[in-house]
Amino acid sequence: MTATLTSTEPADQAPAADSGSLIPLATGELACSDCGQAVRDDGERVTVTVYLAAQSPNGPSKEQVLSFGRCPACAERRALVAEVVAAHPALGGRLGPAGALDRLGAALAVHAAIGEPLPSAETLTGSVELVSALIRHLAPAGNGLRWSLRYDGERAGTGPWDHLPDSQLAAARKAYVAMLSERRQAVDGAVWVAPPDAPDADLSGACLLCGRDLVLAQSGGADAWSPTVISTPSVIAAPTSPESLKGWVCAPCMSACQHVGSVGQAAMMRALEEELRTSGDEDGSARLQRLGDSAWLVSWAAVVLRERRAGRPVPGPNREPWGHISMEV
């Protein structure tokens, strides 16, 4: 079993951990690529290729190959992920086979890191809605939990997930609570609704503005998605075109458009502000407020159209609403 990850991040930017939670590896040991605990080197390795940043603007970058193992618990969880993705072909079709494995793996890593039991294989293979909720809520928090992302092949954690700082564990728990809250809503009668198929749409599969691909809605989801024609695509930062843009806008974004009275920057700003507020992202809200009227938001549709025009692979739906927007200011 060999996996390869290419990264341009310098090694000293790995997530911080208390040095007391790390120990040197003994002869014949490797760190588990996921949870970081020391395991016996049985020949089944996960390799990570790291390209270290040059020390000077004109200096060469350095390539380093690190080897990791995998503990029985993490191997079992990975096998569960593969079984679930195989049971839901539409998931692989939407995210790509590798993307589905990676995102669900990150989501279930959250369960392991915070000590919550994993859902059973029967539960996960029987509900694509649950799997989608896990990915949407937990994958962003789970992406940075894995030991291999520390790019450290010489040490291990003192125990499973001991390398994680309190801030990462707190973010993971917050995401888990949000997921549980959403699932309770679903039990109360709400359903996840994807945008309808529309052969005449220029873009389909996600909201033209925020890029989400599922909306939690009551009463069968009749109002979850609105067919939308944008006569001047440049107002959502899409490439200038004499042609209008046809697609779908989700209910939260459409609510913002209706409040403002049109589709454009003011509506996108309101929709993003509301998303940050409801998700509890106080830091993101503060950054957006600092931008003020100088903010020029780029829609998901704009990103897709630019990549398509450049002949590059187009991105899929966002893992979470507005996930294509960087809030670093």
Side-chain angles (χ1 to χ4, degrees):
M1 172 179 59
T2 301
T4 301
L5 169 69
T6 300
S7 174
T8 57
E9 293 295 320
D12 60 4
Q13 288 188 3
D18 182 354
S19 60
S21 66
L22 306 179
I23 56 175
L25 289 167
T27 301
E29 288 184 336
L30 294 170
C32 175
S33 64
D34 285 356
C35 72
Q37 67 175 309
V39 297
R40 183 174 60 85
D41 181 4
D42 60 3
E44 294 289 323
R45 295 186 173 188
V46 179
T47 61
V48 177
T49 302
V50 181
Y51 293 91
L52 304 177
Q55 297 300 310
S56 63
N58 298 320
S61 59
K62 296 181 179 180
E63 179 179 317
Q64 184 178 0
V65 179
L66 305 177
S67 294
F68 303 95
R70 192 159 283 158
C71 73
C74 290
E76 183 178 349
R77 190 177 64 256
R78 292 268 181 164
L80 173 62
V81 168
E83 179 182 353
V84 173
V85 171
H88 298 299
L91 194 66
R94 180 163 56 90
L95 302 176
L101 289 169
D102 181 67
R103 295 186 190 185
L104 183 56
L108 295 190
V110 169
H111 288 75
I114 65 176
E116 292 292 338
L118 294 173
S120 68
E122 181 180 7
T123 298
L124 292 172
T125 56
S127 174
V128 70
E129 292 81 7
L130 172 58
V131 173
S132 296
L134 291 175
I135 290 174
R136 184 170 47 258
H137 280 289
L138 303 186
N143 278 329
L145 301 182
R146 288 168 286 191
W147 170 266
S148 59
L149 297 182
R150 294 183 54 81
Y151 311 135
D152 188 339
E154 298 180 354
R155 296 181 295 179
T158 53
W161 309 103
D162 282 354
H163 63 281
L164 296 175
D166 291 342
S167 58
Q168 275 190 292
L169 290 173
R173 292 189 184 97
K174 181 178 179 180
Y176 183 78
V177 169
M179 183 275 296
L180 289 181
S181 175
E182 180 182 284
R183 292 305 298 165
R184 281 194 292 269
Q185 286 181 295
V187 170
D188 291 338
V191 294
W192 284 106
V193 182
D197 293 330
D200 62 336
D202 299 298
L203 290 176
S204 59
C207 175
L208 292 174
L209 304 184
C210 72
R212 80 177 82 209
D213 60 347
L214 291 171
V215 173
L216 189 64
Q218 299 281 351
S219 303
D223 299 325
W225 296 92
S226 298
T228 303
V229 178
I230 302 175
S231 57
T232 309
S234 59
V235 300
I236 60 171
T240 302
S241 171
E243 302 293 330
S244 59
L245 176 63
K246 292 180 289 185
W248 296 91
V249 171
C250 69
C253 288
M254 181 52 65
S255 176
C257 293
Q258 291 171 342
H259 179 87
V260 172
S262 64
V263 178
Q265 287 295 309
M268 290 199 297
M269 178 68 79
R270 181 176 179 85
L272 178 54
E273 288 175 341
E274 181 63 16
E275 179 63 31
L276 292 171
R277 186 188 67 79
T278 57
S279 65
D281 188 349
E282 296 179 358
D283 290 339
S285 295
R287 295 187 185 111
L288 192 61
Q289 288 178 0
R290 287 199 296 271
L291 283 173
D293 294 337
S294 66
W296 180 257
L297 298 182
V298 177
S299 65
W300 174 79
V303 175
V304 173
L305 292 173
R306 288 176 183 177
E307 296 302 293
R308 180 186 291 177
R309 177 175 290 187
R312 295 188 290 263
V314 299
N318 286 327
R319 296 181 181 182
E320 53 186 358
W322 302 102
H324 62 283
I325 295 288
S326 172
M327 293 304 299
E328 296 299 326
V329 297

